[in-house]
Each structure stands twice: as structure tokens, then as C-alpha cells.
Amino acid sequence: MTIERVKLSDLSPNPNNPRKSYKQDSIKELAASILANGLLQAPSAKKLRGKKREIIFGSRRYYAHMYLVETGALTADHEIDVDVKEDVTEQHAKELALIENVQREDMNPVDEAEAFADLVKSGAELADIAARVGKSEMTIRRRLALAGLCKEAKSALRKDEITLSVAEALTIGTSAQQREIVADIRSGSEMDADDVRQSFLEDRASVAHAIFPIERYKGRIAADLFQQAETSYFDDFSQFLTLQKQAVEEKAEELRQTSAWVEVFEGWHCATHLYDRSKAKKSGVIIHMTPNGKVEIHTGLRKREVAPSVREAIREENAKVRPDYAEPVKRYINAHKTAAVQAAILGSPRTARILAVVGMLAYAQNIGISTAKSAGIAFFGNNPEAKSDSFRKLEEQARYYARLLGATDKRLEDHDSGLEFLERSYGRSATALYERIKGLTDADLEGLHLFLTTIAFCATHNEKLDGSADSLFNVVANDLGVNMVDCWRPDAFFLSKRNRTQLEAIMQEAGMPAISGKAKKSELVDIAAARFAAGSTEEARNWLPGAMMFPATGPDVEVFASHDDDMDDEGDDYEGDAGEDDAGDNIEADDIEQDASANDDDDAGEAFAEAAE
């Protein structure tokens, strides 16, 4: 070790320093310590020409001194001790800088990842890197995965816009998927690491589930190094499922050579309780494959005597597939349908007034904008790219009334949408609102009342698809002649939530030319979204999934209980001349108690049914 006294003006920072970012407060604290106590450890440097020296490691100490120069506490001619190393190659300098930084103050994970990647590119082995920096090979591999993130994700991690766990989850996705998630988070979407993983893995299957030789699969395999056990996933779920079914048939044929019988079940559940264990040399086998491709093989079985009709019913129940639409897509669908119906109500004041009366009679509560939050405001707030023209129409009206209630243009642009401002008005002083609203003209007061009534009317089951023909939402939509073909086009948000098989079927139904099988799913989404937006074919202009209809149709719609029958039974209370004797009969307290009890029983029955499901 050679210690030299070197002027600050003769020192230069390390251009290959693996630490790319520094916390300014940390530099200032170190500068204050140096000023008070002196430099406790000399930075290391290599020789350049003449008296010039380049820092190898100790960059924080160098920047702390330069901060003192900038503030006038030191001059550029101030000399400090420097450990000058002889004959240091650039590669060796990189390694020394990395080891020093890793062992001192925690490096930003991205800086550490890129430094490890540089060493690997230079030919270093993982085991060698791990030994030098004192970390496990798995830790090195995980950091190298971060080095492969897109630049937007790396920037977000450096700025603490995303957590390390979210960044680790992002490594499963493609660069395009990573950019989409980062953009969502920056626009306000709240996503943790589990949410990110779920969005990537919804249409993927674990490599561990494959019972076929992996070399048969020709698509991309993504690795998740950040779970408790290393896990890899097939990107192309459709190809995986085809290969898995083929392997199941091959396995069944193989087992038939040595077993009494072999049955193959496909579905989420397998009725193994209908079989007994058998000690016979030649017994039965069940191969069970779930819709996500997981395979279980049950051996040593003997069939019980069960009626064929029972066995068939159980087989049909087990064969039910998972819902066609995941909950986020159902929320998306209901948000668009709600906005379309609300926009139609804006043009029908009479309908809005009728709904106000219905709400007062049926729900015995004030109708407020917060009722509709989960249907549209929150969804479109978190997913601005999915906004429809119908929702923009609502927002335009909301901004007008928000300004009447005191919102400034700056607040609406910087913090709130018009709808969010109106929603937050409910937390303000009732007296202050009264004084503000009292000053509105009659026309504005009536318009605000109609708007709040409209915006509170929405799809009531946001994570379910309403298949009830007589639900109020669907009846009103049909009365107003709402046709989602006029209000919505399949966009990238919707199309990206379909798997490849569904996406190809949609394009075929919409009359779009077939795309090469080598195209990535993300490319299919972009092509289909562009063609739908342009209305490239008549079929595309009129294509609509059953879930977007009133009522919704499809495999996972739900029909909700209606109280119309109760109204019909009690219709005599509302019909006839109020002046007639039989219309004025008194309602006894016992009748009221009986009705309340009946309603309680209905509610309990519905709760029990939901729990059973």
C-alpha cells in the first residue's frame, strides 16, 4: 500500500463505479464528519498521467470532499491521503470497486445488479463472484435477473417508485409487460409483488407440472428466482395444455398394459371418494388433470357400486371449467357498461328523476356519488388507458359542477378529476356545502341533482356479471336502448386479459385475417386493438362479447334474486281506489313481524347458499 498526498483538483471520479446513485443527505453527513474529525480512511486510486489520480473505490469520500469545496469549506488545492495502487487493470479496478461498495453502505439493487452483470460479461464465474463479494450464488443470480429489467423498471426502483419485491416480481414478465406495470403504478395503481406475479402468471403454467419432455415445448420459459423455491413458467399456456393432454393420453395407454382399468378425469375436482383402495395385483388407476394442467395419478383403486347417473353427474360437475372472465375483467366490463348507461341517463332527465324516487323508496337513503365509486370512478382512475367516451362525457359534466362548488382548474389538473372532487365533497362541512349550493341558479341546482342521481346508478355487483333480465340496471339499460357496440370497442386492456386461444377466436369472429403462429401474444393484442379501433371490418365494428350485453350472457354470468314476486303478492296494497273500504284496512303489528321474519329467513338462506358455494 502506497499512501500519497494528493490535491483534490488532481483527483477524478471512477467512470466505472458500480454505484450509479448516491443519497445526497448521506454525502452531506459524511462531509460534516470529515470536516469535524478528518478523513479516517484513505480512498484508493490508480495512477494516471503526471500527478493525476483516478478513484478506484471511496467515491463517497471523494464526493463529500468536493461538496466541501463547493460550499467553500475547503479549496481545490486541499490535499488528502490517497492509497495509490500500482499496475491495476480496468477489470481489476471494477472488481475492487464492486467489492468495496457491496461490503460498505447498501448499494441500490440496480447498481449492484449491473455491476455483477459487467463481471459476468467479462468472463467471471458465478462461484468466483460470490466468493469475492461474500454473497451466495443464488443472491448473485437474483441480482442478475434485476439487471435484465427494462430501463423504466430500473429507473422506478432507483427512485423508490417501486419496491424491491415488486421489481423482483417484474423479472418474470417481458419488457413490454414490465413497462405496462410500471406505467400503471406511476399513474396511481396500487400493486404489490403478488399482484404483479398474478397478472403475469394468470395464463401460464409451472414447468414443474409438465409430464411431457420439456424439449417438446417450443415457446419461451420464464423463471421466477424470487419465490421460496426457484420456479419456471411456460409463457404459451395453450401449447403447454396441448402437450400435457397428449402426455396424459400416452400415460393412460402405458398404464392400461398393467392395470385393471384406467380412467381419465378433466376438471377442478376428482371424485376419488367413489373408489376404494385395492390390494389386488391388478387394480385401477385414475389420471386427473385440472384445467390449469396439473396432473395427479391415483393408483391401487377399486370401483364402488354407484348408480351410473350419479357417476355421470359427478363427472359433469368436476368438468366445470374456471370462469371465462377473471374478476378484474368483470370490473372492467361493469365499469364500461355503467358509464354507458349513465351517459344515456344524462340525456333523459325524466329517467333520472324516476330513479331518484325509486332510490328514496327502495333504499331509504340519500343517493350519493360514493355509491358508484367501485363501479367506475376508482376503476378508470387506476386504469386511465381504459377510459371510454362515455366516461369522458361524465367527467366533463363533473368538472363543470366541481368548479361551481369551488374546485380550481389547477386542483382538477394536479390532484382530482371532477368526479373525485365531488366524491370528496361528502367529507366536507354540510353547512359549508349548503352555503355554496344555495348560491347556484335554479338550472345549475337541478342539473347537479340530476347528475348526482345519475352517477349513483350503476352495476351493483362489480365483480360479477349480471345475467338477470329483470334487474333494475338491465331493465333501465334496455329502456334507454343502450347498445355497447355504440359505446365501446375492444381495447388493449380487455384483449390483454384474454389468453392466446381466446384472443385468436375473437379475431376470427371479428373477420380479421389470421396472424402467424410465431407472433407473440403482446403483438396479437396490439394488432387486434388497432383493427378494432379502426373498425377494419363490419364484423369488428359489431363484435361484442356476451358479457357486454344487457343482461350479460356467457358461461359465468349470475342471475340475482329478484323481489318482484313479493311485490306482486302485495300488489293489492298499491292498486285500487284509496277511498274504498278494503283499501283502508289497518296493518297489524303481527303482520309486520311476520314479514320481517320472512325477510330474515330469505337473507339467511342466501347467505347459507353463498357460503356453501
Side-chain angles (χ1 to χ4, degrees), residues 54-120:
E54 180 182 283
I55 297 291
I56 296 176
F57 56 81
S59 293
R60 288 181 66 250
R61 282 160 276 172
Y62 166 78
Y63 285 120
H65 278 94
M66 298 312 295
Y67 174 77
L68 292 174
V69 172
E70 289 176 11
T71 57
L74 296 176
T75 67
D77 289 337
H78 178 78
E79 293 183 343
I80 64 172
D81 288 342
V82 176
D83 174 16
V84 179
K85 297 187 178 297
E86 305 284 346
D87 301 324
V88 177
T89 66
E90 184 174 333
Q91 178 62 23
H92 189 205
K94 281 184 181 180
E95 293 179 11
L96 290 173
L98 174 59
I99 293 169
E100 172 74 9
N101 276 290
V102 169
Q103 293 178 346
R104 287 183 175 273
E105 183 185 342
D106 288 342
M107 285 180 70
N108 183 285
V110 177
D111 293 343
E112 193 174 57
E114 291 181 338
F116 289 150
D118 283 343
L119 293 179
V120 170

Side-chain angles (χ1 to χ4, degrees), residues 330 333-335 337-339 341-342 371-372 374-376 456-464 466 473 550:
K330 293 177 183 178
I333 288 169
N334 284 315
K337 292 169 70 174
T338 293
V341 175
Q342 290 170 342
T371 310
S374 59
F457 183 68
C458 60
T460 54
H461 302 276
N462 297 314
E463 294 174 354
K464 300 178 181 179
D466 183 1
F473 185 76
F550 303 97

Side-chain angles (χ1 to χ4, degrees), residues 285-298:
V285 177
I286 288 178
I287 303 178
H288 174 214
M289 188 172 88
T290 64
N292 62 9
K294 187 175 181 180
V295 175
E296 292 180 343
I297 300 178
H298 305 271

Side-chain angles (χ1 to χ4, degrees), residues 46 50 162 262 324 355 381 383 420 487 553 576 587 597:
K46 66 178 181 178
I162 60 175
V262 175
D324 189 45
L355 289 173
N383 303 277
E420 288 171 334
C487 310
T553 62
I587 301 177
S597 174

